[in-house]
Amino acid sequence: MPRTVRDVVFVDGVRTPFGKAGPKGIYHETRADDLVVKAIRELLRRNPGLDPKKIDEVAIAATTQIGDQGLTIGRTAGILAGLPQSVPGYSIDRMCAGALTAVTTVAGSVAFGAYDIAIAGGVEHMGRHPMGEGVDPNPRFVSEKLVDESALFMGMTAENLHDRYPHITKLRADEYAVRSQEKAAKAYANGKIQADLVPISVRRTNPEAGETGWGLVTADEPMRPGTTLENLSGLKTPFRVHGRVTAGNAAGLNDGATASLIASEEFARENDLPVKMRLVAYSFAGVEPEVMGYGPIPATEKALAQAGLSISDIGLFEINEAFAVQVLAFLDHYGIADDDERVNQYGGAIAFGHPLASSGVRLMTQLARQFEEQPHVRYGLTTMCVGFGMGATVIWENPNFDGGSK
């Protein structure tokens, strides 16, 4: 019997505040799977009309799938969150685009009719599990010159991208980073971020004082409001002598989790669930691993072609800021100004942080908020570069569109 493709919608999305990785970070003594559990529970709390028994799948991404990020975390986190044992789950790995891939993967199943509604998200506890922990890259990559050795180090790939675009200077990258911090601080001041954050109780140990206590995390830890060009100009360039990539114009090492509800539009309407965004198209593309930051460009070209749209049809952009140069290369390719008001209106990963596999849903929650506030915008996109040479793009339609210009 022929199947018809169903419209897929983004119902809701939440995330934990993002923390700094390491012994001094807020989540140093918090398990990665517990961060996912908090996000799933918050989705259910916010949508009390959703019967948990109706959830068809839990897809959770993690880049380093060992320890408390292993054991098929989509299944185990669902059980820990109190979902019925009849709800299955699985794990995903596409490095930085893990949560984004979780969303597109369950969306395909929803469109096909295999699922009505699913949970999709991601987690990365880079303090417990640094990127690349326990991996064993095949020596053929280097010995047979399949990729340059720099491809294994994300910061080096960003320096390589600067080489490819010499007009994207360190000063320009720093200027972009300052704007990201300023926009994030403004978004916090205007209450644009907090509504989608899950407060997390954390245990903190002060070894110097011999004390252990509990606290409540309600805001992103990595943000550096008040950052200036002068602050950034003197930072070290750890990936290359006299390089251009610093801790100031790149996302840091972070911990955090995200989760979203993806459903057929019909199911969402029938169950009185919100419809925050409608999926239009998505695409993934491979590029040279040595310049992985270039990935969003061909991924976006493919997604636009699928949707029958042009870049001028996109009224809002949520671009993951793994490195400033990666965003600037994308903007240059499409002839978009560095300070275009359509781009990362609330700031990006340079300010909030980038816990690898979780970040895709952060982009989506921020875009959904902007859609709600800007009914004149019809289309928006979420895009990111991906380790080892990939890009990922999802195009969304605003269900609140009132017939305005874009």
Side-chain angles (χ1 to χ4, degrees), residues 19-32 35 68 125-128 202-205 207 221 255:
K20 295 179 181 179
K24 296 183 180 179
I26 53 178
Y27 297 131
H28 179 59
E29 299 188 39
T30 303
R31 291 178 58 97
L35 293 177
D68 54 351
H125 199 307
M126 300 179 77
R128 284 172 174 256
V202 295
R203 192 177 75 160
R204 302 297 301 274
T205 300
E221 185 181 22
D255 307 330

Side-chain angles (χ1 to χ4, degrees), residues 142 225 272 279 292 347:
V142 175
D272 294 321
L279 183 63
M292 65 97 191

